[in-house]
Structure formats: structure tokens, C-alpha cells
């Protein structure tokens, strides 16, 4: 699966992932009002607005980027109707040829992780049928429970040609609280990185592994160290844009071949029309603002590679 | 919310949580076949079987126990139909007066954790309406992202009188891989425990905090240390029974007042009829076997308290 992502990155010349993390407040009034008029001020109304918002952004950006990353929490907060739209968004993006990274950060004891792996990457046997639930291409995974909590995801990656990105160093301000603490003289995230390399070693797909790592753009020095520690691991890099990471900060996450990282931007793209820079598009043309934001991000990242 | 759980524990004299983690293989043929005959070998058919299985177990145990803990992964693997049954199970258990602990182990950067907190414990504003999604009483939370990833859950606990259990030391075999590593001479899980105490300090509900901890029964020595480090923190204790934890192992997780822990058993109760000990009930009377398993667990734990 990582090869598919790499090929799409090379074709689009954009190591970019559009974060489909729709907050209701991001959605222009004309869409929100239409959905709520039809379905009420309900979870169904909110979910419908999110669907129309997502669809328009995907329609205006799918030819420019290799991948999207829907953050499932933003859908889960709208309950079943929200999760239906998560599923609908995943399907629609795949139909448009996009690689879909489900950002769910799941992780549990072995048998439970196996169920999550089934839910998001694999298939479940019901009688004689194999049924698929959310069926994204990649999933983000939390490593706190150790090898037996991650292995079920790795196993599904191997059998189904899917991929995961394991949290190594996250982009948020408190990420250092535990992740940076020194163990035998080295921060916890380096120990996690070593395990990620180990887990990924029998899951190679070309020169990179289907087991990738989440490495925040907001900590560039650490990105550089991790890049050296994990030469065959693809990085999913959150934190660019709204969270403060710049193109210069990202450089360290790439290998010399110009590969090795896919950079996510959520708010910076999907809510671009709310920035002064893109205000001229107006709420009616929010998706055109998103398209312009993708083009600008592509140029920005291209300038340092 | 923790007071509500404590009152129910005192009333039932059972510091017990029934883990509603239905694998398809646990469900007796007569239920599975009926659901699949009606709805096919589909996600809908599987979810329907799970619902009938759960309902019968709840009907046969709700008067004996204070709480249940549905593991959302087991529902998520059956997609939207599975998650509908998760929601239906939560509602049904609450109607029966049970405290419901959603075992979802969510955790992310701040804004995303806020969305998860909304999804599982809080409410979301849609226009002028406040809508609720899964609305469990407690939720399990992963601490790997640090304070800003946990705080949104704590905030909702305070405003909505709900609770969380933060993973400190998990019950699985690999849990020590990261959790036991020494930082300044003390294992990571102790550092997490200190943070849990800090997060919970302004979220007290009587003599315990609404911010609890997950502490696996499979590591009793560590349970004893954590009990001393976190005197006002309630423990959710997985690992009893099928995972290998015994009643003697649990003792250390309780305070001298006989409170401080609620012990989960999943397979040991819901799939009791498959054990030789309860085989006499047969698959048709699986829920009666579950009832007997609860009574036996209650006696077993009572013997060491």
C-alpha cells in the first residue's frame, strides 16, 4: 500500500494529505442552513452538512493530491449519522482515486486491536461471507500497549496490503510530557521508533515499509533524528500550518530521495476561505479557496525539497 | 459520577463490571442462525445477533452488578450496524440502571480529544439544539499524548458529571515494553499515575475523583504500588479470569475501605457456557450460565476483601 501512496505522491508532485476534519463552525452558512432546514438541528442535519462540505472540497482538490486523512473523532461526535458520513467520505475519496488514511489512533490489548484492525483495514467473517466495515487504506495506531497491541494491525497490513502510521512523536504542545522522557539516556519516542522499525521490517513494500510513523512537524530537530533512525519508514507529518509547523520545519522529515514523508494540513486547507489570504473567494466558493490553499502548500513544501 | 458507581457497588456488594465484548464465536448457534436467516450473512445479521446476545446477558445479570463495560472495538468491526448495537446496548443498560463504561481508549491532540469527549460523554451543539451521541457514563482514555490530549475529557467530566479511566498499567503481556521503562528511576506508568492524580484533583466527587485509572490485574505488585500512589483514584481492573488474574491478585487494587476498584470480566462471564464448569447450562441457557459466573466471581472477590 505504501507504494501506491508513493506513486501517487510522485504523480501529483505533492507529498500532501488533506485533513478532512470538518468542525461545524468551518462549514459555510449556506450549506449548514440547507441541511438543517431539511433534516433539523439534529445529528442527521449536522452530518448531512459535513457530507456536502467534504464532497465539494474533495471535488476541488482530488486531482492535486495523493491522499486525504479524515479524523474519525470529528464524525464520531455526531454519532451514527456522523459515522455514516465518515464511511461515505472514505468511499467517495477512494472512488476519486485518493489514498485514504483513517485517523483513528486505535490501540488496545491483542484481541481488541484485532477487532479494530478488522473494523478499519480488514474484513470480518459472518457465516460464509467476508464483510468489510470502514475499509480505509491506512490507519493511525497508538503504541502505548506495546507489541501485542500493535501486531494485529501489522498482520492485517501484510495480508490485505494495507498500511498503518504508529504515533511516535505527536505534534501537540504536551506531547513531550511522556514521549520526551529519557529512558536509558534516550527519549521514549526513540524507543517507540525502534519498535516501529522492528514491526515494519517484515512488512516492506518496495523500499519503504507499510508500517509508518506519525512525526509532528512542530518538533523539527526530533524529526531529523527520527529520519535517521527510521530510514525505511514513511512519516505522516501533522502540525503544518494551523498548528505552527513551517515548510522549513518539514525538510528534516524527508529522505534525500525527496520521499519519506506525507504532510497533513486540515484547517489550513478545508477552512482556507476563513483566512484573510483567501477571503476573496467568499463562503460560497469555499472549495475554490481550498484548492488555492493546496496549490500554495504544494509550492511552499516544494521550495524546501 | 464515581459516587453513583460506588453507591451501586455498595448496594450490590459486587465491585464488578461485566465486559460486553461479544465475539461472533461466543454467540450460541440458535441466536446467530436466527439473525442471519432474517438479515443474511451481513454486518446487519452479525449486529442483530450481538444485540440479542447482549440483551439476554443483561437481563440475567443487571440486578447483580453495578456496571457494564462494552468494548467498542467489538462493535466497530461490524461497521455502522455494529455501532448502532453499541449505542442500543448502552441505552438498554442505562435503562436497567447500570453504570456504563465505554471502553474506547480514545486520545488525541486537544481539539480532537474534545470531539471524542463530546462523542462519548458530552453533547454537541447543532444550531440551537444540544445533541448527544453515544453518551456513556465513563470512557477509557489513552494518555500517550499528555495533558492537552486528556484535559478535554476531564473538562467534560466536570461539566457533565461523567468519569474517565486513563490507561496507566494495562493487563496485556507486552504492556511493560514502554509502560515499565524507567524514567528517573521509576517506571513510566508511575509517571502517568502522578499525572492522573493531578488531572483528577479538581474533579473530585466525594472521596474519589471522576478521573480513574486502568490498572491490570495481571500485575499485582504494580497494583499495590499504584494503590499507594493514587489513594483517591478509582481503578478499573481488567485481566481477571480469562487473562489470568486471580482474586488474590486483585486485593492490592483495593483500599482498606474495601473500595477503590471495579473488576472487569468479559469472556469469563459472557462466554461462561463454553467453560466445562458451566457446560450443564448448555447454549440455550447461556445467560443463566453468565448469571452463575457473576455469582461465582462475586464470591471469589468477596473472599479476599
Amino acid at each position: 500500500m505504501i507504494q501506491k501512496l508513493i506513486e501517487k505522491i510522485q504523480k501529483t508532485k505533492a507529498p500532501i494529505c488533506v485533513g478532512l476534519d470538518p468542525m461545524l463552525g468551518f462549514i459555510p452558512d449556506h450549506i449548514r442552513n440547507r441541511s438543517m432546514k431539511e433534516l433539523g438541528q439534529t445529528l442527521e442535519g449536522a452530518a448531512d452538512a459535513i457530507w456536502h462540505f467534504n464532497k465539494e472540497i474533495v471535488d476541488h482538490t482530488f486531482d492535486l493530491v495523493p491522499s486525504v486523512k479524515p479524523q474519525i473523532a470529528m464524525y464520531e461526535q455526531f454519532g451514527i449519522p456522523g459515522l455514516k458520513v465518515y464511511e461515505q467520505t472514505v468511499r467517495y475519496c477512494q472512488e476519486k482515486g485518493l489514498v485514504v488514511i483513517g485517523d483513528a489512533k486505535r490501540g488496545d490489548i491483542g484481541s481488541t486491536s484485532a477487532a479494530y484492525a478488522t473494523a478499519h483495514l480488514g474484513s470480518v467473517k459472518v457465516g460464509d461471507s467476508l464483510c468489510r466495515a470502514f475499509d480505509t487504506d491506512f490507519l493511525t495506531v497508538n503504541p502505548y500497549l506495546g507489541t501485542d497491541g500493535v501486531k494485529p494491525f501489522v498482520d492485517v497490513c501484510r495480508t490485505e496490503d494495507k498500511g498503518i502510521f504508529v504515533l511516535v512523536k505527536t505534534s501537540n504542545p504536551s506531547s513531550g510530557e511522556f514521549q520526551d522522557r529519557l529512558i536509558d539516556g534516550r527519549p521514549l519516542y526513540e524507543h517507540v521508533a525502534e519498535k516501529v522499525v522492528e514491526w515494519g521490517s517484515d512488512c516492506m513494500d518496495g523500499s519503504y515499509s507499510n508500517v509508518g510513523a506519525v512525526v509532528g512537524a512542530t518538533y523539527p530537530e526530533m524529526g531529523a533524528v527520527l529520519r535517521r533512525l527510521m530510514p525505511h519508514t514513511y512519516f505522516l507529518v501533522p502540525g503544518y500550518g494551523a498548528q505552527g509547523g513551517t515548510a522549513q520545519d518539514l525538510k528534516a522529515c524527508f529522505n534525500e530521495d525527496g520521499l519519506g514523508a506525507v504532510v497533513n494540513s486540515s484547517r489550513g486547507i478545508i477552512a482556507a476561505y476563513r483566512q484573510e489570504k483567501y477571503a476573496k473567494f467568499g463562503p460560497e466558493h469555499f472549495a475554490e479557496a481550498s484548492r488555492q490553499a493546496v496549490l500554495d502548500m504544494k509550492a511552499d513544501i516544494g521550495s524546501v525539497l
Side-chain angles (χ1 to χ4, degrees), chain A:
Chain A
M1 181 52 76
I2 196 71
Q3 271 310 315
K4 184 178 168 189
L5 178 60
I6 291 171
E7 279 158 26
K8 287 198 64 73
I9 287 172
Q10 288 174 322
K11 201 171 148 196
T12 55
K13 297 186 178 61
I16 287 176
C17 180
V18 175
L20 295 173
D21 309 354
M23 311 263 225
L24 264 193
F26 293 170
I27 302 180
D29 286 344
H30 69 280
I31 293 185
R32 228 170 12 182
N33 293 342
R34 197 174 56 204
S35 294
M36 290 186 198
K37 198 172 162 191
E38 200 176 317
L39 295 161
Q41 293 181 345
T42 58
L43 297 176
E44 286 77 7
D48 186 69
I50 288 174
W51 162 245
H52 290 288
F53 179 71
N54 280 355
K55 182 175 180 300
E56 216 163 318
I57 288 172
V58 172
D59 286 343
H60 280 78
T61 57
F62 77 94
D63 57 320
L64 300 178
V65 296
S67 57
V68 292
K69 179 176 77 63
Q71 166 51 259
I72 199 171
M74 299 304 167
Y75 303 83
E76 225 168 282
Q77 68 182 326
F78 299 107
I80 300 296
L83 286 161
K84 280 185 185 167
V85 166
Y86 175 79
E87 194 181 31
Q88 198 175 356
T89 300
V90 170
R91 284 297 90 70
Y92 189 70
C93 291
Q94 286 170 335
E95 279 165 33
K96 288 283 184 183
L98 291 160
V99 171
V100 180
I101 303 167
D103 194 357
K105 299 188 176 64
R106 300 300 193 250
D108 210 297
I109 67 166
S111 54
T112 305
S113 279
Y116 279 130
T118 292
H120 295 281
L121 300 170
S123 58
V124 61
K125 204 161 182 213
V126 182
D128 304 315
S129 305
L130 277 181
C131 303
R132 290 181 171 273
F134 295 106
D135 205 20
T136 47
D137 302 307
F138 285 88
L139 189 75
T140 56
V141 168
N142 185 305
Y144 188 68
L145 283 89
T147 296
D148 63 37
V150 177
K151 258 302 169 83
F153 294 101
V154 178
D155 292 342
V156 171
C157 288
R158 214 170 17 237
T159 55
E160 304 261 354
D161 189 25
K162 298 277 183 122
I164 56 173
F165 291 101
V166 181
L167 304 188
V168 172
K169 172 68 191 172
T170 57
S171 59
N172 58 314
S174 309
S175 70
E177 217 164 81
F178 303 123
Q179 296 167 25
D180 294 2
R181 298 302 299 270
L182 297 183
I183 294 166
D184 292 341
R186 294 163 61 219
L188 171 58
Y189 64 78
E190 288 191 24
H191 294 272
V192 176
E194 270 178 8
K195 280 288 170 191
V196 170
V197 169
E198 186 187 314
W199 297 326
S201 62
D202 57 350
C203 211
M204 296 297 290
D205 180 25
S207 49
Y208 286 95
S209 172
N210 278 327
V211 178
V214 173
V215 177
T218 39
Y219 301 99
E221 339 64 67
M222 301 175 185
V225 173
L226 290 169
R227 188 64 287 168
R228 283 193 297 275
L229 269 181
M230 317 171 81
H232 303 293
T233 305
Y234 232 82
F235 290 3
L236 170 63
V237 184
Y240 172 84
Q243 286 183 57
T246 67
Q248 202 55 47
D249 294 335
L250 297 169
K251 214 177 153 179
C253 290
F254 287 87
N255 274 321
E256 292 198 355
D257 57 4
L259 295 173
V262 59
V263 182
N264 182 73
S265 175
S266 301
R267 255 168 299 174
I269 294 175
I270 69 172
Y273 78 99
R274 289 156 51 103
Q275 294 174 43
E276 212 185 307
K277 188 177 172 187
Y278 302 108
K280 64 174 184 218
F281 289 99
E284 286 285 339
H285 302 286
F286 70 97
E288 287 165 46
S290 296
R291 184 175 178 87
Q292 189 56 49
V294 168
L295 290 167
D296 291 347
M297 180 178 173
K298 192 173 152 180
D300 187 36
I301 294 176
S303 73
V304 298
L305 285 188

